[in-house]
Amino acid sequence: MKNGGVGKVIRVMRKSKNLSQAELGEKLGYSARTVSDWENGNTEPNVAAIKAIVAFFEISYEEFFEET
């Protein structure tokens, strides 16, 4: 993972939309704690979460994983 992994990508995308972790979590159907855990590398999003993330940010799976 060249740029710090999935968590860093999520953090960068979230901040690009000026969203808090709570706001992103609400939009995706997850808690702020879950978003925090993803961003800090404590856990990784499951397939359903990744689907929600790429849909929300309107990017392809390839774009999402290219950044990691």
Side-chain angles (χ1 to χ4, degrees):
M1 295 188 176
K2 65 183 177 188
N3 290 329
V6 170
K8 183 176 179 188
V9 171
I10 294 169
R11 178 178 285 122
V12 168
M13 290 190 304
R14 174 180 62 79
K15 288 185 174 187
S16 76
K17 299 272 189 184
N18 296 312
L19 296 171
S20 68
Q21 290 176 336
E23 290 167 330
L24 178 60
E26 184 178 317
K27 292 180 183 300
L28 298 177
Y30 294 90
S31 69
R33 175 62 189 236
T34 297
V35 174
S36 175
D37 283 344
W38 294 338
E39 290 184 1
N40 291 310
N42 297 327
T43 61
E44 290 196 358
N46 62 23
V47 173
I50 292 170
K51 286 180 180 181
I53 292 165
V54 299
F56 177 76
F57 289 106
E58 299 178 331
I59 61 172
S60 68
Y61 294 105
E62 291 81 11
E63 290 171 305
F64 180 75
F65 287 108
E66 269 179 11
E67 298 300 320
T68 62

